[in-house]
Amino acid sequence: MTKHYLAVDIGASSGRHVIAHMEGNVLVTEQIYRFDNKMEKRRGRLVWDIERLYEEVLEGMKRCAMAGKIPISMGIDTWGVDYVYIDEEGRSLDEVYAYRDPRTNDTDKELEKLISADELYEHTGIQKQKFNTIYQLFEDKKNRAEIYEKADKFLLIPDYLAFRLTGKISAEYTNATTTGMINAKKCDWDEELSERLGIRKTLFPRLINPGSRIGRLSAETVQKVGFDTEYVKVASHDTASAVAAVPTDKETIYISSGTWSLLGTEIHEPDCSNEAKKANFTNEGGIEHRYRFLKNIMGMWMIQSIRHEYNDEYDFQTISQMAEDYDNKLSDKHKITDVIDVNDSSFLMPDSMKKAIDEKCEKQGIEVPNSIEAYAALIYRSLADCYKKSIDELEGITGVVYETIHIVGGGSKAQYLNRLIEKNTCKKVYAGPVEATAVGNIFLQMISDGTFKDINDVRKHVIVKE
């Protein structure tokens, strides 16, 4: 009997249900359902429609039943940082704020009166991002005090969706590390940090490791979707699942390329050194007690935003080819060196990405783009430049000279960017799997049910067919 596994992978712009099974040593994946996701503006705040996401999860599960492909297990991964407050009855409280909302822009200044940025990094090893959960919780104490006080628990997005499907409350480790509230060395909630910041320790759910089986679906969920299955708390931060799918067990650099670009390597002990902090690298939790030592880079968000401003006229692969053709024409006239800082905060959530880029170009005294291919070419060049600088920093910190770069995720289809990276870094670039996050999600399920011993076992024996 064929064993099917279901990965529900939800990103900031879309979600997908991927069903998979093994044929010999080949993992065969099939996207069975896909849906859009986006931040919405309500009462002047950027929020997620969490109830719609829950309904989309159910709908995709129903499609599995309709196709006669009942999974023996399932798991959900999403982006990190954002969360849902629930009361003692398990009811959600208030809106679910999105990380790009500017409410925490200045919160770091208030928080650092209680603990310095240097000491905070020593505790958590987490890259400073003003939208990290620690800043959101600290802000809630002041400006959402009524909701904060009513809350019994806060659940990160995949933990909340798991709770809605199973009735079980827990926090999965890899995603919990993105909160900035986990002690990097103890791999648990940092109680000293909670006390110093006045954040209630009772808010934090029980922490469990990726790959933990938490039980089966609730009777209510079974009635809605038409089947029962085992729920596995996979590596529920999407980057942790994507890194699990990197097809090598050797030392390498990975770039998980999606809305964000996450560039780094796997290490076995956290690096909370001053050198790592100055370079703004983070020690996010990984599978099997590894660490994702990486840097957040703005990523495909800029391309996505530009595409929207041109009415989504072209798909991403076409845009990549247009950008390459544009640069090839320019190279006949002069060397292409114009780049911008893709990590500039002005690109985080501008009203117009085109305008934000124009202003940056004018400030730097470089040519302002005048077409979608010109914008895309500038963004790709700038990303490749940023990757090169980040890789130099990474090699300086780790003392390792890496020979290869594995690019996984949807952004791996941008072939021009891949070629620019290879040219800039003088390293061999491998692209894929495209659905790395879903694949890594499924890998954890297969380890959980005993099909494979560990992640190295999977990486050695499984070929992915997308």
Side-chain angles (χ1 to χ4, degrees):
M1 181 179 174
T2 302
K3 292 197 297 186
H4 291 98
Y5 303 87
L6 174 62
V8 182
D9 170 31
I10 307 176
S13 58
S14 66
R16 60 207 58 80
H17 289 59
V18 175
I19 198 89
H21 68 278
M22 292 295 294
E23 293 182 2
N25 67 337
V26 177
L27 180 73
V28 180
T29 65
E30 175 192 357
Q31 183 175 281
I32 207 158
Y33 184 62
R34 189 179 183 93
F35 56 91
D36 291 332
N37 187 27
K38 64 178 181 178
M39 290 168 266
E40 300 178 4
K41 203 152 198 176
R42 297 179 186 172
R43 295 182 293 173
R45 291 295 183 196
L46 286 171
V47 301
W48 301 106
D49 188 343
I50 193 66
E51 288 307 306
R52 188 183 72 80
L53 287 181
Y54 167 64
E55 292 297 333
E56 295 284 16
V57 170
L58 293 178
E59 181 59 33
M61 294 170 70
K62 292 174 188 175
R63 300 292 179 95
C64 292
M66 290 166 61
K69 296 178 179 179
I70 307 301
I72 66 163
S73 66
M74 68 171 293
I76 298 176
D77 63 78
T78 76
W79 67 98
V81 175
D82 293 336
Y83 53 90
V84 183
Y85 281 124
I86 61 171
D87 64 16
E88 291 181 348
E89 303 299 319
R91 295 171 299 204
S92 61
L93 301 170
D94 202 30
E95 301 282 10
V96 178
Y97 285 8
Y99 63 88
R100 291 188 190 271
D101 186 86
R103 70 195 183 99
T104 57
N105 280 356
D106 297 317
T107 306
D108 59 322
K109 298 181 180 65
E110 290 299 314
L111 186 144
E112 286 167 16
K113 292 177 182 177
L114 300 177
I115 183 168
S116 70
D118 287 346
E119 192 176 358
L120 183 59
Y121 191 80
E122 288 175 10
H123 274 252
T124 68
I126 294 298
Q127 173 185 17
K128 181 177 178 179
Q129 301 272 16
K130 291 187 178 182
F131 49 69
N132 286 349
T133 315
I134 187 171
Y135 299 114
Q136 295 197 49
L137 292 173
F138 196 74
E139 181 70 14
D140 288 345
K141 285 201 311 166
K142 182 173 65 175
N143 290 324
R144 282 210 293 176
E146 185 178 352
I147 299 299
Y148 175 84
E149 292 301 329
K150 280 184 182 178
D152 179 60
K153 290 285 184 290
F154 91 98
L155 297 175
L156 294 167
I157 302 297
D159 295 325
Y160 175 74
L161 294 172
F163 165 64
R164 291 294 299 271
L165 296 177
T166 67
K168 307 289 177 58
I169 293 177
S170 60
E172 187 276 316
Y173 168 71
T174 67
N175 207 21
T177 61
T178 71
T179 64
M181 295 295 299
I182 297 288
N183 186 288
K185 295 182 175 65
K186 296 178 181 178
C187 301
D188 204 349
W189 298 112
D190 196 313
E191 293 190 0
E192 180 190 342
L193 192 55
S194 297
E195 289 175 3
R196 289 178 64 173
L197 299 179
I199 295 174
R200 288 192 289 121
K201 290 182 283 187
T202 56
L203 284 173
F204 303 113
R206 175 176 63 96
L207 199 65
I208 63 175
N209 288 323
S212 298
R213 301 161 77 87
I214 64 170
R216 302 187 74 81
L217 303 179
S218 68
E220 179 186 3
T221 301
V222 171
Q223 186 176 19
K224 287 179 178 178
V225 303
F227 65 86
D228 193 10
T229 192
E230 188 80 23
Y231 193 97
V232 178
K233 280 289 185 86
V234 295
S236 65
H237 187 256
D238 49 11
T239 308
S241 276
V243 171
V246 172
T248 181
D249 59 353
K250 296 179 172 60
E251 282 191 319
T252 188
I253 291 168
Y254 58 76
I255 301 174
S256 178
S257 182
T259 301
W260 289 92
S261 290
L262 297 311
L263 182 154
T265 193
E266 283 186 324
I267 58 177
H268 291 275
E269 295 292 335
D271 186 337
C272 301
S273 66
N274 192 47
E275 186 182 11
K277 176 187 173 294
K278 282 183 177 179
N280 215 17
F281 272 78
T282 199
N283 294 268
E284 292 178 353
I287 58 173
E288 298 173 3
H289 305 291
R290 306 173 190 212
Y291 292 83
R292 293 174 283 136
F293 190 59
L294 60 84
K295 175 177 279 194
N296 280 29
I297 297 168
M298 194 66 75
M300 293 300 130
W301 164 249
M302 297 178 73
I303 293 288
Q304 292 166 4
S305 299
I306 288 293
R307 179 173 177 261
H308 290 329
E309 290 193 57
Y310 280 92
N311 301 313
D312 296 332
E313 184 176 354
Y314 305 101
D315 62 36
F316 292 109
Q317 287 173 288
T318 301
I319 291 171
S320 174
Q321 186 60 57
M322 291 167 66
E324 184 168 18
D325 291 344
Y326 176 85
D327 271 354
N328 284 340
K329 290 176 184 177
L330 280 186
S331 64
D332 293 335
K333 301 176 183 178
H334 57 80
K335 188 177 179 182
I336 302 166
T337 56
D338 288 352
V339 294
I340 55 177
D341 178 8
V342 292
N343 283 333
D344 191 276
S345 60
S346 63
F347 301 132
L348 186 63
M349 194 63 190
D351 292 331
S352 165
M353 186 63 74
K354 287 168 63 177
K355 184 179 178 181
I357 292 173
D358 291 352
E359 290 175 352
K360 178 61 69 173
C361 289
E362 289 168 356
K363 188 174 181 180
Q364 289 185 204
I366 62 178
E367 185 174 349
V368 174
N370 58 5
S371 64
I372 187 170
E373 54 264 46
Y375 280 107
L378 176 62
I379 292 167
Y380 288 138
R381 275 185 258 124
S382 301
L383 283 170
D385 180 70
C386 185
Y387 295 158
K388 170 64 167 63
K389 292 174 180 174
S390 298
I391 288 169
D392 288 346
E393 291 173 332
L394 178 64
E395 291 184 332
I397 295 167
T398 62
V400 176
V401 177
Y402 302 91
E403 296 180 358
T404 58
I405 302 171
H406 283 265
I407 305 175
V408 299
S412 67
K413 293 190 289 186
Q415 294 181 10
Y416 181 45
L417 177 58
N418 296 347
R419 284 191 280 272
L420 285 173
I421 295 167
E422 195 163 64
K423 180 181 178 182
N424 280 19
T425 64
C426 298
K427 298 182 188 297
K428 180 64 178 175
V429 169
Y430 297 94
V434 174
E435 293 289 358
T437 304
V439 169
N441 179 318
I442 291 160
F443 281 176
L444 264 290
Q445 294 182 54
M446 292 195 298
I447 294 168
S448 177
D449 79 355
T451 300
F452 292 97
K453 178 184 176 183
D454 55 26
I455 196 61
N456 283 343
D457 191 25
V458 181
R459 287 169 171 169
K460 286 177 183 175
H461 294 102
V462 176
I463 300 168
V464 178
K465 179 181 178 182
E466 294 184 289

